[in-house]
Each structure stands twice: as structure tokens, then as C-alpha cells.
Amino acid sequence: MEAVEKALLRALDSSPDGSVANSLAFASSNGLDHKALCGAIRSLAASELVVSKELAEQRWVLTAEAQSYVDQGSSPEVQVFRAVLESMPNGITLTGLRGKVGPVAAGVGFKQAMQHKWVSLLKQDKPKPQQDADAVAQKAEKEEAQGEGGKKKKKEPKAEPLILAQREEVEDACLNLLRRPDLLSAKDAQALKKRKLVAQEKTAYFSVSKGPKFALERKKEATDLTRDMILGDKPKWRDLGFKKYNFNAMAPVPQGGHLHPLLKVRAQFRKIFLRMGFEEMPTNRFVESSFWNFDALFQPQQHPARDAHDTFFLTNPRYSSSAAWPQDYLERVRRTHEEGGYGSLGYGYNWKLEEAEKNILRTHTTAVSSRMLYQLSKKCEEDGGKFTPTRYFSIDRVFRNESVDRTHLAEFHQCEGLVADRDLSLAHLIGTIEQFFRNIGIPDVKFKPAYNPYTEPSMEIFVYHPGLQKWLEIGNSGIFRPEMLRPMGLPEDVKVIAWGLSLERPTMILYGIDNIRDLFGHKVDLEMMRTNPICRIGLD
């Protein structure tokens, strides 16, 4: 590019009128690539070293068929004429001509040679062979027998006409025109265009002249003011030229910034919870102690869910400090596990503080709920036993050490809601869940009895997936057990209903996705995030 720029600038400087009239001619005479020259002209014009004007010219160019005739050295009509001339004085049939010059040249060339009257056709009858009387009689008897049998007599084919040459020499005018397409007259060009031997091509070029900042060498303009330009006794910025900012230029279309379907559904879920009067819980604690994740929920320390094959345990830091936990609450939780209370017999084992101190990646956002309910009990205590009904929700990531398949992930989002109030029942739980699912556009909901260590009664939630054409387990629900709530200090008549579901499975249903790995994880198609539609939740 730099060499092309220098060649153009030198030509403008040495030109009497300081211009180059045609960039095509300039590139041809100097052995330059015209595309590279056009790029240099645009760049120099942007720096005001030159002034350019874009022009265009129409010219005739040869088609691939015409170029083949130029390479062969003869047009198809001349090829036909020479083949016929070589066959004289007997002439040649059209079949023989095709075999000699080829079917394409024979078809086009014969027509043109006939129009120029270089060749002519001679019709001939097929000669009849000599036959004796006996042979004629036998043939007559055979034809009569075939006639009686009802068979049609075959018609004798006519002889193919001969092509004869009408002169001894012709001029290849077509080839002469094809060799100089730039000199074609309008009449000749139209005739060759009709034969599809030439086509019109539009070529753009520039006329160039000196600009207001013309110089034989481009001086690079600075785009930003830097620290080095300002410092020193003689600042460099005074001697530099700065590139002007084009404030009217359009910015490139950004390729990022598109919302993932999960984020769209999450935003709609939040709106639904807020409309239903829920308050969002803080969920910024991915690493949780086993105490708040399991023990505070009355989940025994020998429960299978607390095994390494279901839970991710941290190695550093491996333990939390139990000194930071409320000691009176810690003691009540220990006693409830070992001895029971509040109408329960407990689990009858030696509860270990070391097991409760183990750090894990939280397996559910119910760990957040246990903290919030304990804070609610402390507020009730501070208000002199006055309890305020509360609705909480959270939507965030949880982690399970599970095998990954089309409906399960080791890392996913859990959406949880709970209501704390006096005298709540299973009917309140079912009604609240059905109202929530109607709001997210999933009216088909079923419940199945289940077991949870911290809820009684407990129910699994199922919804119908049209894509998979089956019912999917989408979440769990229940009423928190007194063994979980009473150690916190909540009043005896206060009950808590709660439910939890993944964010991924409702999103799969709403967006028609049948494999969870196509929605969340390293196999997600980035183009899907750019083109996915808006969240299709039918808000009532």
C-alpha cells in the first residue's frame, strides 16, 4: 500500500496540471493493481492529501465461450467452413460435421455459415440396391405375409443432405472483432451480445488531483493525546497533526449484550413474585456451612444427601467457625437432633459440631430461607412477640454433585418462595403454587406426596412438557416442620409454607427446548442467545 501511495503522489507532483485523469490507465501503465490503487486513493483522500472523484465506464468483455474461440484461433463458422471445404468435392453430412468439429461448434457455426452463404445444402435420395427377379418376388411375398399379420411396414429413411462449400476462402470477421472488444461498434457489439459472445461490464475508476494538504510523504496524524506528548520543555503535541473526530459516523453494531433465555424468564419470575407481594432474599452466599444448609433444616447428619456423591465439599477453607453462629440457637438445634422436642422424638444420635462446620457449595436456596427465618424470629422477639406475616422469594444458583443428562445439571438455578403466617394449611400451599404457575403460563400442574426431612406434609410438583409429551418433575414443596421452626424462636401458631423449582425446566417448556444442556452450560449455542425471542410468559 505504501509503495502504491508514493507512486501516485510522485505522479501528481510531476504532472503539469497536478492530476491523474484515469486511475485505470495509471495502474495499467505503472504495473499496479487497480484495487490496491483505489484503496490508496481513498486513504489519501481521507487525509486530504488528494481530491478524488469516482467515475465509471462501460466496456465490452468476452464471455468464456468467446475466449475459447480466441484461444483456438477461429470462430465456429470458420471451423465449419474449413471442415466442409476439406470434404469437397463430395461434401459432408451434418452428422459427419458434428463428429469433426463437435456438436456445439457445428450447431452455431453451421447456422452462421449458411447466413453468410459460405455453404449450401444438397438434398439426395437414398440409392436403391440392384435386385434380381427372384429377390424381388421373395420381398413381395414377405411384405404380403407381414400385411396379413397386421404388422405395419417400416418406412424407408431418407438420405441425409450433403453440405457443400460455396467458395475457397473466407475472412474470419468474428474472430477479428473478438480480439479487440474495446473497439467494437454498437452494431457489432449488439450482434455479438445476441450470440452471447460479449457482455457489458461496468468498471469504476477515479480521477485524482492534489489536495489541500498535499505532500510527497504522508504524515501520520495522532488520534489521541498521550502523556508523552504533554511532558517536557518542548511538548510534542504542538508539532503533531491530530485526526479529526467524525461525530456523525455510525458506530458498529455490537455483537454482545443479548439476554439469555434464563435471564429473561428470571426477570419475569421476579416480576410475578413482586406482584404477589413477595420480598426478595439476599442470595450472594454460594459457599455455605453444613449447619445452615442441613442442620438448621432438621436434616440428620447421616442423611444420604449429605454424602460426597450428592454434595460438593470445599477443601480450602474446609470448615466454618461456629463461634460466629448464635450459640443459643446452635444448642437448641443440637438438642432437637439428639433428643427431639416440640412433639418430636428427634433422631437419637450424637450430633457432631465438626460435621456442621464443614463448608459446601449450597445444595439449595433453602439455606438462605433458614437464615431469613431466624432473623424473622429475632425481629419478632425484639418487637415483644409481635409477629408480622412475611413472604420471601429467591432465584439463584445451587450446586449438586449429580450426573449430567438431558434433564439434570450439576449447577443450575433454583427458584424458591415461602410464606410465613399464622394457621397456614396444605390448601394455602396448593393454592399459592397453582396461582404462581398460572402466572408463568403453565396451567397444567399436578402434586404427588413425597418425603423431605424439613417439611411435613411434602409434595413433588409436576408440570406437562408439550415438547417431550410427558409430565416432568419441576419442584418440591411442603410445610416446614416444627423441629425446624421452633428452635429458631418463632411463635407456635406460626407456620411456613414453601416451594422450590429449577429455573431451567420452566424455561425449557416455555422455549420448546428438550435438552437442558442446550440451555445452560458449555454446549450452549451462542447464536441462540442472539436470536431467541422475548420471554413468552402470559401474564394475567
Side-chain angles (χ1 to χ4, degrees), residues 32 69 76 113 204 296 298 310 320 357 431:
L32 302 174
Y69 299 149
F298 194 58
D310 281 331
S320 294
E357 289 180 330

Side-chain angles (χ1 to χ4, degrees), residues 14 229 278 400 406:
S14 60
M229 295 178 186
F278 284 76
R400 305 273 179 89
R406 65 187 300 112

Side-chain angles (χ1 to χ4, degrees), residues 123-138:
K123 294 183 179 180
Q124 60 174 349
D125 295 327
K126 185 176 180 180
K128 296 182 180 179
Q130 296 293 329
Q131 298 174 328
D132 55 18
D134 293 337
V136 172
Q138 291 175 2

Side-chain angles (χ1 to χ4, degrees), residues 47-84:
S47 301
E48 299 184 17
L49 272 72
V50 301
V51 175
S52 64
K53 184 178 181 181
E54 189 170 357
L55 305 169
E57 67 177 16
Q58 300 276 359
R59 62 173 182 168
W60 294 101
V61 294
L62 301 182
T63 63
E65 181 185 351
Q67 188 60 51
S68 68
Y69 299 149
V70 173
D71 296 340
Q72 294 174 17
S74 58
S75 63
E77 51 263 42
V78 171
Q79 294 179 42
V80 168
F81 174 76
R82 289 173 181 169
V84 174

Side-chain angles (χ1 to χ4, degrees), residues 417-438:
L418 66 88
V419 180
D421 203 345
R422 287 185 167 87
D423 301 324
L424 293 176
S425 66
L426 190 63
H428 292 99
L429 175 62
I430 293 175
T432 305
I433 293 174
E434 287 181 341
Q435 181 185 359
F436 173 78
F437 277 93
R438 279 196 302 270

Side-chain angles (χ1 to χ4, degrees), residues 156-200:
E156 198 74 28
K158 292 185 178 180
E160 199 173 355
L162 293 173
I163 307 172
L164 305 176
Q166 295 297 302
R167 56 187 71 193
E168 295 182 357
E169 187 177 349
V170 295
E171 180 184 359
D172 200 342
C174 177
L175 184 64
N176 294 336
L177 293 174
L178 293 178
R179 284 172 173 164
R180 293 300 305 272
D182 53 325
L183 299 180
L184 288 176
S185 65
K187 182 179 179 181
D188 292 335
Q190 289 302 320
L192 293 176
K193 181 182 178 182
K194 190 175 181 181
R195 292 181 60 180
K196 297 182 180 181
L197 296 178
V198 296
Q200 208 165 34

